[in-house]
Amino acid sequence: MTTTFITGANKGLGHETARRLLALGHTVIVGARDEERGVAAAAELGARYVRIDVTDDASVAAAAADVAVHEGVLDVLINNAGVHGPYGDPAELTGADALAVFDVNVFGAVRTTTAFLPLLRRSADPVVINVSSGMGSLAITHDPSRIESSVVAPLYTASKAALTMLTTQYAKALKDVRVNAADPGYTATDLNGHSGPQTVTEGTDAIVRLATEGPGAGSGRFIDREGPLDMS
């Protein structure tokens, strides 16, 4: 039985990833900051809820301790929690704006990975999946044929570029853990006002693929639902 913890799993991509992995036989732990929404989502899915605020060290440590007591091991950690931050003209961006976005999208992944690493290392095949974005790729955002090139979201794109780089660095350093990044693509979620052309099921294809690969599948990769992506 594969045990999987997903942050930001009360809605959107996290919720759909939980649903799909449960259907595939995973034991899924729904991680969410909002307890009422997290409890409701877990009840709907048939999963267990654990509160986690990825911006708070104590909350992340408590979540890891909870999983240590109840499951004792973690096979897959999916760092899915994310925020988009301000769109458009960067003229009025502040340092506080940047800290708020990076605190969730990047620092949150660092906190959560660090806290859960001892539990992952109890697994025979530990996996970390960072939900990144093609919006963080220099190549993709400079390609006029891609919709990502038409969006101005300075902090979101910068944070996702950082998360993808973080993924490759962790993959180099953690030889005993497979660490990969997934690009959901332009998917209809709350993050974009449900404007994306993809369904949440399509948007979770890359995440589910990485969560269900067997040992030896590779580390340090960045993929979308079609396959490998340019990391530059």
Side-chain angles (χ1 to χ4, degrees):
M1 185 73 72
T2 300
T3 300
T4 301
F5 189 100
I6 308 172
T7 66
N10 62 294
K11 63 179 181 177
L13 294 169
H15 185 278
E16 178 65 4
T17 300
R19 184 194 68 78
R20 292 182 66 180
L21 293 178
L22 282 162
L24 292 170
H26 284 220
T27 295
V28 173
I29 304 156
V30 170
R33 180 178 58 180
D34 187 293
E35 186 166 359
E36 183 177 350
R37 293 178 181 177
V39 168
E44 176 194 344
L45 291 164
R48 194 170 80 81
Y49 166 70
V50 171
R51 185 182 182 278
I52 184 169
D53 178 349
V54 300
T55 68
D56 182 83
D57 289 336
S59 175
V60 174
D66 185 292
V67 175
V69 169
H70 288 89
E71 284 78 24
V73 63
L74 188 65
D75 300 295
V76 181
L77 170 64
I78 302 178
N79 288 313
N80 168 73
V83 295
H84 59 69
Y87 282 97
D89 186 359
E92 296 184 2
L93 287 178
T94 66
D97 292 331
L99 283 170
V101 174
F102 274 71
D103 204 17
V104 177
N105 295 0
V106 184
F107 311 152
V110 172
R111 290 186 187 96
T112 307
T113 302
T114 299
F116 282 90
L117 196 53
L119 288 170
L120 286 162
R121 283 181 160 149
R122 296 178 187 177
S123 169
D125 183 31
V127 174
V128 174
I129 301 165
N130 293 323
V131 180
S132 190
S133 172
M135 294 275 288
S137 164
L138 296 177
I140 291 173
T141 54
H142 283 84
D143 181 348
S145 71
R146 297 285 300 245
I147 192 167
E148 291 90 345
S149 69
S150 67
V151 179
V152 178
L155 300 180
Y156 180 79
T157 54
S159 71
K160 291 302 185 179
L163 183 60
T164 303
M165 177 58 79
L166 194 70
T167 301
T168 65
Q169 291 294 298
Y170 274 46
K172 288 180 180 181
L174 303 177
K175 301 299 186 182
D176 55 338
V177 182
R178 279 189 286 125
V179 187
N180 292 296
D183 171 23
Y186 191 15
T187 303
T189 67
D190 286 353
L191 205 66
N192 55 44
H194 295 271
S195 61
Q198 287 188 164
T199 66
V200 287
T201 301
E202 292 170 324
T204 55
D205 281 348
I207 305 169
V208 171
R209 173 182 164 186
L210 290 172
T212 55
E213 292 176 321
S219 192
R221 294 170 294 148
F222 183 30
I223 72 165
D224 67 6
R225 65 192 303 262
E226 303 297 333
L229 287 172
D230 188 338
M231 288 195 188
S232 64

